[in-house]
């Protein structure tokens, strides 16, 4: 699905607003994400760090989990906003792949500049997914 300029702007702004609520005392790298569900609803989240570093949760995964917990199962797009437009990590890409390789991904700076627009499949070619699991017994 192609996104309109207005949809892109709304999604990036929602992610930028979520970024303001990040808890990033260790990395000092706040990230916000906004997921656009097939229903048209937007779900936002920010990264949450922990003194035990591996327990941190990325904004992208937090937004997806939030959407799933609210009943959304299909996504149209996700915007990820950070100070420098950093790309989603491998774990986030894998979680995004679970819910649609054709999901549009907008990677933007805190100022709202979209640095990259792609699909999940372009970010994670050859993704492992449900089709790779053996059929249930």
């Amino acid at each position: 699905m192609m996104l309109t300029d207005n949809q892109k702007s709304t999604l990036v702004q929602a992610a930028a607003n979520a970024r303001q609520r990040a808890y990033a005392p260790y990395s000092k790298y706040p990230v916000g994400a906004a997921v656009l569900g097939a229903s048209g609803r937007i779900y936002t989240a920010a990264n949450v760090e922990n003194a035990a570093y591996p327990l941190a949760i990325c904004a992208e995964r937090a937004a997806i989990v939030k959407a799933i917990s609210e009943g959304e199962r299909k996504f149209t797009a996700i915007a990820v906003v950070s100070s420098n437009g950093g790309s989603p990590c491998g774990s986030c890409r894998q979680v995004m792949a679970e819910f649609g390789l054709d999901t549009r991904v907008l990677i933007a700076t805190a100022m709202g500049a979209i640095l990259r627009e792609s699909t999940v499949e372009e970010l994670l070619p050859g993704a492992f997914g449900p089709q790779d699991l053996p059929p249930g017994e």
Side-chain angles (χ1 to χ4, degrees), residues 19 29-31 80-87 107-111 113 115:
R19 180 178 177 266
Y29 191 74
V31 179
V80 181
V81 172
S82 63
S83 60
N84 62 349
S87 189
I107 300 170
T109 68
M111 300 303 291
L115 301 182

Side-chain angles (χ1 to χ4, degrees), residues 5-52:
D5 288 343
N6 188 47
Q7 287 174 311
K8 291 178 189 179
S9 177
T10 298
L11 204 56
V12 167
Q13 186 59 55
N17 291 344
R19 180 178 177 266
Q20 299 303 312
R21 297 185 298 275
Y23 179 73
Y26 309 109
S27 71
K28 310 285 192 259
Y29 191 74
V31 179
V35 176
L36 174 61
S39 68
R41 186 168 170 202
I42 295 175
Y43 305 86
T44 62
N47 59 321
V48 178
E49 295 180 349
N50 190 286

Side-chain angles (χ1 to χ4, degrees), residues 45-76:
N47 59 321
V48 178
E49 295 180 349
N50 190 286
Y53 293 166
L55 299 180
I57 182 82
C58 297
E60 300 92 311
R61 286 182 284 142
I64 290 169
V65 167
K66 184 177 181 181
I68 294 297
S69 71
E70 302 258 340
E72 198 80 51
R73 292 292 185 270
K74 180 74 178 150
F75 305 113
T76 302

